[in-house]
Amino acid sequence: MVAGIVLVFDVFTQVLLPILIMFAAGWVLDRRWKLDLATVVKLNINVFVPAFIFYELTTKNVAGRDAWMAIGYTVSVVVVLFVIAGLVGKWRRYSLAQTRSMQIASVFYN
């Protein structure tokens, strides 16, 4: 029971709380200065998210097996999305260029 509570607290403080803080900061800044949403989105995508990912990747200790499992899962998802997009392209009788475009858009969804 205690371990479950500790786990929930860890997830809240390390995952949800930073998101809520960024959301609240954005809301307060927008209320105060009427921010341009397009600029905020560009800053988030081009500065904050890469910085967050870099920090998390360089400061965490991950067991080798866990890292390989995460890599394997990611590669599997990409391959499955690629194949599904190819099958949909054939089913819909798209041209090769359209099918490849759909596959690229499906694989690089982020």
Side-chain angles (χ1 to χ4, degrees):
M1 179 68 178
V2 173
I5 293 172
V6 170
L7 179 62
V8 169
F9 181 75
D10 284 346
V11 169
F12 177 77
T13 59
Q14 297 195 13
V15 176
L16 189 58
L17 188 59
I19 294 169
L20 291 174
I21 290 171
M22 291 219 16
F23 176 79
W27 183 80
V28 168
L29 290 172
D30 183 53
R31 286 286 197 182
R32 176 87 170 122
W33 290 291
K34 297 294 180 204
L35 300 175
D36 178 38
L37 185 59
T39 303
V40 173
V41 168
K42 287 178 186 175
L43 272 173
N44 190 39
I45 290 172
N46 295 321
V47 177
F48 296 119
V49 171
F52 174 74
I53 291 171
F54 177 79
Y55 173 79
E56 291 299 321
L57 287 175
T58 57
T59 59
K60 299 296 181 206
N61 291 326
V62 179
R65 184 175 190 281
D66 292 340
W68 283 112
M69 285 182 63
I71 291 168
Y73 175 79
T74 302
V75 169
S76 299
V77 167
V78 167
V79 169
V80 167
L81 288 173
F82 187 84
V83 169
I84 289 172
L87 293 172
V88 169
K90 283 187 184 244
W91 174 60
R92 300 286 302 193
R93 293 189 176 99
Y94 290 156
S95 69
L96 182 60
Q98 288 175 314
T99 300
R100 293 292 184 242
S101 296
M102 187 170 60
Q103 286 174 315
I104 290 170
S106 298
V107 170
F108 299 111
Y109 52 88
N110 227 2

